[in-house]
Amino acid sequence: MRAGRGQGFTLLELLIGALATMTLMTALYGVFHGTLRLRERTYEQVERDLPAGEALRVLRADLAAARTSSPTLGGVFLGVAGSNGQDAADQLRFTCASGRIGAEEFGFDLQEVEYALIEPLVGDAEEEGLDLARVARRNLLGTAVEEPEPQRMLGGVRALSLEYYDGSSWRTAWDSELEEGALPAAVRVRLEWMGSEPEPEPRPIELVVELATTTTSADSGGAT
């Protein structure tokens, strides 16, 4: 009679077991690492979207209150196509009636605002890209030239594209002086973000704002 097999494992069985364990641990690590990266990307997207939403809310309010020129108060709507290397860096300057201040103060509704990409205002060496800045000039009737400080709306921006709808097609520039004081029917805004390897490029943000065709008047500059 042959002797019975021992109760231990053979070397081959141990190797197979170790290989199976390593394969399982590798799969679990891949799932765990992917979950962590998904969570980090979600946090980054939320951190980006929150200030972006607020910046676009302000931009939408300004554009919705855009006014064309009048003999009394003047006004401008000037969209200029620009570039920063291979990326778009458009600029927009226009008069709008979104400048109301507190009811206890005296001021004019009309203001001139400007949107453009500038070098970062915040000294963060780790943050790449440009800042989307807003400049608001309140005293349109003053003789002194007012040069307010730019307001940082967003950071980490790679490109800013602006298009203007004339009723039949989209244009890359607009000058109200050449259009006899007319505003575009709508403005399309596209913001693109800086990406970092090996992460996928963050999705751009687009906004389309329909503009009113109201012109400025002496009454629109009254005290609030």
Side-chain angles (χ1 to χ4, degrees), residues 114-118 121 131-135 150-153:
E114 182 175 355
Y115 286 88
L117 295 183
I118 63 174
L121 295 174
D131 283 352
L132 173 65
R134 176 182 184 268
V135 176
Q151 175 189 2
R152 181 180 188 264
M153 306 295 289

Side-chain angles (χ1 to χ4, degrees), residues 5 13 55 116 123-124 139 141-142 148 158 168 180 185 189-190 218 224:
R5 182 179 176 183
E13 290 173 333
D124 187 354
N139 187 14
L141 299 179
R158 189 186 74 186
S168 60
E180 299 182 351
V189 183
R190 179 183 173 91
T224 58

Side-chain angles (χ1 to χ4, degrees), residues 8 11 15 57 66 80 84 90 109 141 169 178 185 194 198 220:
L11 178 60
L15 290 175
R57 184 193 66 79
V80 180
N84 178 39
D90 297 346
D109 291 350
L141 299 179
S169 62
L178 301 179
M194 292 295 297
S220 64

Side-chain angles (χ1 to χ4, degrees), residues 94-160:
F94 59 97
T95 305
C96 60
S98 61
R100 287 190 177 90
I101 55 180
E104 72 282 358
E105 302 179 47
F106 180 84
F108 292 95
D109 291 350
L110 287 179
Q111 62 180 345
E112 184 180 280
V113 297
E114 182 175 355
Y115 286 88
L117 295 183
I118 63 174
E119 292 298 324
L121 295 174
V122 177
D124 187 354
E126 297 182 358
E127 185 174 22
E128 299 180 356
L130 301 172
D131 283 352
L132 173 65
R134 176 182 184 268
V135 176
R137 301 175 180 88
R138 300 291 299 275
N139 187 14
L140 302 184
L141 299 179
T143 56
V145 178
E146 181 186 6
E147 290 298 335
E149 292 293 326
Q151 175 189 2
R152 181 180 188 264
M153 306 295 289
L154 288 173
V157 180
R158 189 186 74 186
L160 170 63

Side-chain angles (χ1 to χ4, degrees), residues 24-223:
L24 177 61
M25 294 299 295
T26 301
L28 291 175
Y29 175 78
V31 173
F32 180 69
H33 184 265
T35 302
L36 288 179
R37 293 304 305 149
L38 177 60
R39 186 185 69 174
E40 291 176 3
R41 287 198 297 269
T42 301
Y43 284 162
E44 291 172 358
Q45 189 66 47
V46 170
E47 290 177 355
R48 183 182 298 113
D49 287 350
L50 286 178
E54 177 61 20
L56 292 181
R57 184 193 66 79
V58 175
L59 176 56
R60 178 191 293 274
D62 285 341
L63 285 172
R67 298 293 184 265
T68 54
S69 59
S70 75
T72 305
L73 295 177
V76 65
F77 192 99
L78 180 62
V80 180
S83 63
N84 178 39
Q86 296 181 345
D87 298 315
D90 297 346
Q91 301 179 30
L92 177 60
R93 179 167 57 91
F94 59 97
T95 305
C96 60
S98 61
R100 287 190 177 90
I101 55 180
E104 72 282 358
E105 302 179 47
F106 180 84
F108 292 95
D109 291 350
L110 287 179
Q111 62 180 345
E112 184 180 280
V113 297
E114 182 175 355
Y115 286 88
L117 295 183
I118 63 174
E119 292 298 324
L121 295 174
V122 177
D124 187 354
E126 297 182 358
E127 185 174 22
E128 299 180 356
L130 301 172
D131 283 352
L132 173 65
R134 176 182 184 268
V135 176
R137 301 175 180 88
R138 300 291 299 275
N139 187 14
L140 302 184
L141 299 179
T143 56
V145 178
E146 181 186 6
E147 290 298 335
E149 292 293 326
Q151 175 189 2
R152 181 180 188 264
M153 306 295 289
L154 288 173
V157 180
R158 189 186 74 186
L160 170 63
S161 304
L162 297 165
E163 294 182 302
Y164 312 93
Y165 190 63
D166 62 6
S168 60
S169 62
W170 289 98
R171 294 157 53 175
T172 58
W174 193 277
D175 188 342
S176 58
E177 291 188 3
L178 301 179
E179 303 294 334
E180 299 182 351
L183 289 172
V187 176
R188 181 162 59 193
V189 183
R190 179 183 173 91
L191 283 169
E192 299 180 34
W193 307 99
M194 292 295 297
S196 58
E197 296 293 341
E199 300 299 327
E201 183 175 311
R203 69 177 186 271
I205 294 180
E206 291 191 354
L207 171 71
V208 177
V209 183
E210 184 177 357
L211 273 62
T213 57
T214 308
T215 58
T216 59
S217 67
D219 293 338
S220 64

